[in-house]
């Protein structure tokens, strides 16, 4: 595997071709000109390896593709204008009418909506399984199963699947495997090297790292990626634009440094939360208290900044007061940027259906960003003090 610093600083870059500029140019063009008909004909025959039209290949995007594929330990990758587009293309490329998918339960919202709303119109069915036990996948297989869809860890309670075991099961039955690897990024988990066929991630999160771009990555074998390029990628037409690709290249330069910093701060925040009397439990895949801690250690080398905790609260208002009192930690969806975020589960339900006996209803997802640890702990203390004032 190529060295990380080489991938991020040099791979795919050809500075002699653009004035020895250290930062690559944004090749903001829709089309490319040819000097003779023979070359144009060659390009029509093989758009996957020529500059023809930027819905297909583009030189700025190419630099990014080389780096991202190498990070995944994959032969090739495609970069989309969103993580959702990467999911859509990857799934669509591997089902036809009458096929069956086995998916981990509660996959990312827009994967679920594809499975529930779009695929049934084409007679593709889905069975959801609790993915913490590989046997559940084995038992859900049908003769027409063509795809196993994974997300490990998922992005709220961090349930894991045993990637090596599921990959082996799928290979035995000739089934394609796809994983949503957004939580770990390829820096901290490399599913392709564990036998998974296609690894995707929302690059909106850690790869961009600055909450200013929406993008997605899909990595796999050259054969699979070429097939998807020539069909779903070109047809859906949601490839990344050159400027956004340039922002992701910039994000990649600092990815390891950001993740290291976030990892260190997250450990401090977890310690603080675990010792706080108003917190029931902290959920984090690389904490020894996590039920799948050993599996996490065997397939992940890091876990970054997403952590969930259960607040001790009798009602929804307590949780709302906690969140509303924070001054620096922003209340927002997404994660992976420079700024810390809080997201209460109860925001996704009518207040009347809040049940304090259900810990999930009292859960808050915290994303730890790049701020000073004390800055964040002070802000969290502000939230805790506000709810103590209530009682
Ligand atoms: C954000 C996210 C996505 C979707 O990515 P977009 O870039 O928002 O389209 C997919 N999966 C997970 C786990 C995510 O967090």
């Amino acid at each position: 595997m190529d060295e990380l610093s080489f991938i991020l600083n040099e791979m795919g870059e050809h500075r002699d071709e653009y004035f020895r500029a250290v930062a690559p140019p944004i090749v903001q063009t829709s089309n490319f000109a040819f000097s003779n008909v023979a070359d144009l004909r060659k390009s029509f025959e093989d758009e996957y390896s020529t500059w023809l039209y930027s819905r297909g290949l583009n030189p700025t995007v190419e630099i990014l593709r080389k780096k991202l594929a190498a990070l995944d330990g994959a032969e090739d990758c495609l970069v989309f204008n969103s993580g959702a587009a990467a999911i859509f293309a990857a799934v669509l490329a591997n089902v036809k009418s009458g096929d069956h998918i086995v998916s981990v339960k509660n996959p990312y919202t827009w994967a679920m909506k594809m499975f529930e709303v779009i695929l049934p119109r084409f007679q593709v069915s889905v069975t959801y399984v609790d993915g913490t036990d590989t046997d559940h996948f084995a038992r859900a297989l049908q003769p027409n199963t063509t795809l196993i869809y994974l997300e490990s860890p998922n992005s709220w309670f961090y349930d894991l699947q045993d990637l090596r075991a599921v990959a082996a099961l799928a290979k035995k039955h000739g089934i394609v495997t796809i994983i949503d690897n957004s939580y770990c990024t390829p820096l901290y988990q490399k599913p392709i090297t564990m036998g998974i066929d296609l690894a995707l991630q929302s690059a909106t999160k850690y790869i961009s790292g600055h909450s200013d771009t929406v993008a997605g990555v899909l990595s796999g074998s050259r054969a699979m990626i070429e097939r998807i390029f020539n069909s779903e990628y070109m047809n859906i037409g949601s490839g990344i634009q050159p400027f956004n690709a340039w922002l992701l290249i910039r994000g990649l330069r600092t990815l390891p440094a950001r993740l290291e910093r976030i990892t260190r701060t997250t450990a401090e925040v977890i310690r603080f939360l675990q010792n706080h009397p108003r917190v029931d439990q902290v959920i984090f895949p690389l904490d020894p208290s996590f039920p799948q801690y050993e599996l996490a250690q065997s397939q992940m080398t890091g876990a970054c900044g997403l952590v969930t905790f259960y607040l001790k609260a009798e009602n929804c208002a307590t949780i709302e007061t906690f969140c509303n009192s924070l001054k620096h930690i922003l209340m927002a969806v997404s994660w992976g940027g420079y700024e810390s975020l809080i997201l209460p589960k109860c925001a996704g339900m009518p207040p009347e259906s809040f049940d304090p006996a259900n810990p999930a209803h009292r859960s808050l997802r915290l994303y730890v960003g790049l701020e000073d640890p004390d800055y964040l702990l002070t802000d969290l203390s502000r939230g805790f003090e506000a709810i103590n004032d209530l009682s």
Side-chain angles (χ1 to χ4, degrees):
M1 195 154 297
D2 291 292
E3 221 175 306
L4 183 58
S5 298
F6 173 76
I7 294 171
L8 301 181
N9 286 14
E10 293 164 63
M11 183 173 269
E13 298 180 70
H14 304 283
R15 297 189 170 106
D16 285 334
E17 293 175 14
Y18 38 81
F19 319 108
R20 303 292 305 155
V22 170
I26 302 165
V27 183
Q28 191 72 25
T29 186
S30 58
N31 47 0
F32 298 84
F34 293 81
S35 53
N36 60 69
V37 174
D39 284 349
L40 177 60
R41 183 176 297 121
K42 222 185 301 162
S43 187
F44 282 147
E45 285 166 0
D46 182 14
E47 189 167 353
Y48 186 57
S49 29
T50 50
W51 311 127
L52 174 69
Y53 188 59
S54 281
R55 176 155 44 80
L57 301 188
N58 171 280
T60 307
V61 177
E62 206 61 16
I63 295 172
L64 178 64
R65 282 177 63 205
K66 291 275 183 328
K67 293 179 189 298
L68 288 171
L71 282 184
D72 261 320
E75 288 173 4
D76 205 350
C77 79
L78 294 170
V79 190
F80 293 80
N81 219 21
S82 71
I87 294 171
F88 198 84
V91 172
L92 195 63
N94 287 291
V95 291
K96 60 180 187 324
S97 178
D99 284 349
H100 173 251
I101 298 171
V102 179
S103 169
V104 67
K105 69 172 184 185
N106 301 323
Y108 178 70
T109 320
W110 291 97
M112 182 104 118
K113 292 205 182 186
M114 181 184 191
F115 296 159
E116 299 288 296
V117 179
I118 295 182
L119 293 185
R121 304 209 306 252
F122 304 95
Q123 291 75 50
V124 174
S125 57
V126 181
T127 303
Y128 298 102
V129 297
D130 170 356
T132 56
D133 183 345
T134 305
D135 281 346
H136 295 164
F137 288 98
R139 269 185 254 138
L141 295 184
Q142 298 176 7
N144 57 340
T145 305
T146 56
L147 181 63
I148 294 180
Y149 187 88
L150 309 171
E151 184 180 331
S152 182
N154 72 22
S155 62
W156 200 291
F157 297 113
Y158 318 121
D159 289 347
L160 308 185
Q161 299 99 59
D162 184 333
L163 301 188
R164 293 181 183 92
V166 175
L169 171 76
K171 283 217 161 47
K172 204 169 79 188
H173 292 90
I175 295 168
V176 171
T177 43
I178 299 177
I179 184 173
D180 183 333
N181 192 34
S182 299
Y183 182 90
C184 279
T185 84
L187 234 54
Y188 288 163
Q189 180 168 269
K190 297 189 191 298
I192 302 266
T193 68
M194 292 183 249
I196 300 295
D197 294 311
L198 290 166
L200 62 86
Q201 57 173 319
S202 167
T204 311
K205 312 292 163 52
Y206 290 115
I207 306 289
S208 153
H210 294 76
S211 302
D212 54 12
T213 321
V214 176
V217 189
L218 175 65
S219 295
S221 69
R222 191 177 157 89
M224 267 200 195
I225 294 296
E226 179 168 6
R227 181 168 62 82
I228 294 172
F229 173 85
N230 281 317
S231 182
E232 290 77 13
Y233 183 84
M234 289 300 293
N235 243 154
I236 298 171
S238 57
I240 195 164
Q241 294 295 304
F243 176 62
N244 285 356
W246 186 88
L247 286 172
L248 294 188
I249 293 168
R250 188 164 78 150
L252 280 177
R253 309 286 196 204
T254 57
L255 180 67
R258 285 186 283 111
L259 296 193
E260 277 171 33
R261 159 99 179 179
I262 289 168
T263 298
R264 269 201 313 276
T265 310
T266 302
E268 283 194 47
V269 170
I270 288 173
R271 218 174 306 127
F272 171 82
L273 290 173
Q274 281 174 335
N275 289 317
H276 201 285
R278 293 299 300 243
V279 173
D280 251 357
Q281 198 189 334
V282 178
I283 307 171
F284 187 70
L286 285 182
D287 189 80
S289 69
F290 187 71
Q292 295 177 289
Y293 177 59
E294 278 176 23
L295 178 60
Q297 281 188 308
S298 77
Q299 59 190 27
M300 297 160 52
T301 54
C304 323
L306 268 193
V307 46
T308 296
F309 62 99
Y310 298 135
L311 206 62
K312 288 182 186 158
E314 290 304 316
N315 50 51
C316 200
T318 305
I319 295 173
E320 292 186 25
T321 300
F322 179 87
C323 294
N324 297 348
S325 308
L326 301 175
K327 274 216 175 93
H328 303 303
I329 299 171
L330 302 177
M331 209 187 313
V333 297
S334 197
W335 42 276
Y338 61 90
E339 78 293 2
S340 293
L341 302 170
I342 192 93
L343 201 60
K345 195 76 168 174
C346 67
M349 61 177 74
E352 328 60 277
S353 59
F354 181 87
D355 175 10
N358 183 344
H361 289 195
R362 295 186 279 109
S363 67
L364 294 102
R365 191 183 76 180
L366 177 67
Y367 165 67
V368 177
L370 293 169
E371 301 91 336
D372 275 331
D374 284 345
Y375 187 72
L376 297 177
L377 298 186
T378 304
D379 208 28
L380 289 169
S381 298
R382 198 184 333 263
F384 286 121
E385 277 157 29
I387 60 173
N388 279 340
D389 291 347
L390 288 178
S391 48

